[in-house]
Amino acid sequence: MSLKAGIVGLPNVGKSTLFNAITKQNILAANYPFATIDPNVGIVIVPDKRIENLNEMYHPARLIPTSFEFTDIAGLVKGASKGEGLGNKFLSHIREVDAIVEVVRCFDDDNIIHVEGKPDPIRDIEIINLELSIADLEIINNRLDKIKKKATTTKDKDSLMEVEALEKAKNALEKNIPLRMIEFNEEEKNLIKPFCFLTIKPIIYLANVREENFNDENFYYNEVMDYAMKEGSKAIKICAKLEADLMDYTTDEKNEMLDMLGIKESGIDELIKVTYELLGLRTYFTVGSDEVRAWTFKNGMNARECAGIIHSDFEKGFIRAEVISYDDLIKFGDELRVKEAGKFRLEGKDYLMQDGDICHFRFNV
């Protein structure tokens, strides 16, 4: 399964600079609103030392780490839903993502234009979140217009349940409550899932700060962090310009620079880690001389479901999973010693996969 995130924010908050850094692509990043018109899609490799170690052990012909796809869209402005700026049509490009990354400017600079005059992180967040809510409301109202009368007239059970779920969502959004803060039962979740509502997606607020003040107390960042905590979301401090500057460094050079600045890890690495935690994602591996590969799965998935991530035939004809843990492999040195130590396991279809499992699936179709 491929992890996808959409990058949103006001114009000139650092979205495109961040995108350049995380995908190592030199897209247009200009000091004026609406520099990004067409959606930019890029893929970043998820850093994982485990797959590097497996590569050294197996020397495979192919090494395939897991990846993270980012889509950067044009900056939104207040009134985008009414056609202000470039409008909100670009939001359609991120309806299929797993999470939303909202970049928030948390520094003052008279040389960088701010569409609202000056930075105010909470105001900026509320502008973006309102536009996301309005976009969801448009979809809800359009759907209700089509099915509400039919549901009432025919008394069709499924249609009535859909209307009820949509009305519940509509009432929340009209009270300025994002759908991720509303509790839906499983039936309701299944009914509204096809609409890919933006406000139901987990959100991470990226507080873009200055490099020279990164470790200083930042009132703007504190505001963003408090806002995120109140709605059960996450906030990360990042310097988009620094991340972009570091993009051509080697790993050692980058780590040395971060140490000099007193920064524990790159903001991009932290973003990926937090996104995985927020979405409950884990990694399992398949290994061999032909290929070593990392696969992303959701916590709670069983062996058969995880086999289906590789190919649907693996899930349909699942027989068993041959499993060893990454930690045991590193501890004992190779698969043979793992087996001699009694750490090799045969697991059935209902086995709940664990982060770091190394698997070989047996199937028959």
Side-chain angles (χ1 to χ4, degrees):
M1 58 190 297
S2 176
L3 178 61
K4 299 179 181 180
I7 304 175
V8 301
L10 294 174
N12 295 342
V13 296
K15 293 190 307 89
S16 295
T17 302
L18 174 69
F19 184 84
N20 286 347
I22 59 183
T23 62
K24 298 189 178 181
Q25 293 185 26
N26 294 314
I27 61 168
L28 179 63
N31 181 25
Y32 54 88
F34 319 124
T36 306
I37 297 177
D38 294 324
N40 297 291
V41 179
I43 296 175
V44 61
I45 299 303
V46 174
D48 193 330
K49 288 185 178 180
R50 295 175 299 182
I51 198 169
E52 296 173 17
N53 292 335
L54 292 172
N55 184 46
E56 292 176 5
M57 293 180 71
Y58 288 89
H59 303 289
R62 295 184 304 277
L63 179 70
I64 307 177
T66 189
S67 60
F68 198 152
E69 182 179 301
F70 287 88
T71 300
D72 177 36
I73 63 170
L76 295 168
V77 297
K78 187 176 182 179
S81 57
K82 299 177 182 177
E84 294 296 325
L86 294 172
N88 68 355
K89 63 181 179 180
F90 304 103
L91 289 174
S92 63
H93 297 299
I94 61 169
R95 286 208 171 271
E96 300 296 328
V97 302
D98 302 296
I100 289 177
V101 175
E102 185 168 330
V103 183
V104 188
R105 179 170 158 182
C106 289
F107 63 87
D108 295 303
D109 189 333
D110 293 337
N111 294 315
I112 299 179
I113 299 166
H114 194 291
V115 291
E116 290 295 319
K118 63 179 182 178
D120 180 339
I122 303 306
R123 176 206 61 207
D124 296 351
I125 286 173
E126 291 179 343
I127 287 173
I128 296 298
N129 288 356
L130 177 61
E131 292 301 325
L132 298 182
S133 294
I134 292 173
D136 282 351
L137 273 171
E138 288 176 355
I139 290 177
I140 291 172
N141 288 329
N142 288 339
R143 180 60 178 167
L144 286 174
D145 286 345
K146 290 180 180 179
I147 69 162
K148 196 170 183 179
K149 185 176 180 180
K150 174 189 172 184
T152 305
T153 304
T154 65
K155 304 298 182 182
D156 177 70
K157 182 181 177 182
D158 290 339
S159 296
L160 286 170
M161 285 192 296
E162 182 181 341
V163 168
E164 188 175 337
L166 290 174
E167 291 282 11
K168 181 177 179 178
K170 179 179 178 179
N171 290 336
L173 292 172
E174 288 179 340
K175 294 175 184 176
N176 204 26
I177 302 172
L179 300 184
R180 61 182 169 274
M181 296 179 67
I182 301 301
E183 189 173 335
F184 293 98
N185 60 39
E186 285 304 312
E187 201 168 41
E188 290 170 332
K189 287 178 184 178
N190 290 332
L191 286 167
I192 65 176
K193 184 178 180 179
F195 299 105
C196 299
F197 291 129
L198 295 167
T199 63
I200 206 167
K201 302 179 189 296
I203 193 165
I204 300 170
Y205 297 103
L206 278 192
N208 188 17
V209 304
R210 285 220 176 275
E211 175 184 337
E212 57 268 27
N213 306 119
F214 191 90
N215 291 314
D216 296 343
E217 186 75 12
N218 186 306
F219 176 72
Y220 288 153
Y221 170 62
N222 291 340
E223 283 190 321
V224 174
M225 190 164 55
D226 288 344
Y227 186 96
M229 287 179 63
K230 287 176 183 176
E231 68 168 35
S233 298
K234 297 285 186 179
I236 298 173
K237 186 193 294 186
I238 195 171
C239 175
K241 183 178 182 302
L242 172 62
E243 299 292 336
D245 291 342
L246 291 174
M247 74 180 195
D248 291 323
Y249 284 29
T250 66
T251 300
D252 289 341
E253 290 172 338
K254 184 170 73 171
N255 291 337
E256 184 178 346
M257 179 62 72
L258 292 173
D259 286 340
M260 287 175 57
L261 295 170
I263 300 173
K264 293 181 179 179
E265 65 178 335
S266 82
I268 294 169
D269 287 353
E270 186 179 1
L271 169 60
I272 292 171
K273 183 171 70 177
V274 168
T275 306
Y276 264 62
E277 291 173 356
L278 193 62
L279 296 175
L281 300 178
R282 304 289 185 267
T283 303
Y284 76 85
F285 304 94
T286 51
V287 298
S289 58
D290 57 335
E291 178 183 283
V292 167
R293 183 164 182 167
W295 303 87
T296 301
F297 69 99
K298 286 193 175 182
N299 191 35
M301 290 180 69
N302 62 38
R304 184 169 63 177
E305 291 169 329
C306 286
I309 293 172
I310 298 176
H311 196 285
S312 59
D313 284 348
F314 283 32
E315 184 172 7
K316 291 176 184 175
F318 181 91
I319 299 173
R320 66 177 181 271
E322 299 171 357
V323 184
I324 61 176
S325 78
Y326 169 83
D327 290 339
D328 285 338
L329 182 62
I330 296 301
K331 178 180 177 180
F332 294 104
D334 60 39
E335 291 185 31
L336 179 59
R337 290 189 178 93
V338 171
K339 291 179 180 178
E340 290 173 345
K343 298 294 184 179
F344 174 83
R345 294 175 282 122
L346 296 178
E347 301 289 359
K349 62 182 181 180
D350 295 324
Y351 166 69
L352 295 182
M353 291 284 283
Q354 301 299 307
D355 185 58
D357 277 348
I358 298 172
C359 302
H360 180 73
F361 295 107
R362 298 291 184 183
F363 71 103
N364 183 28
V365 176

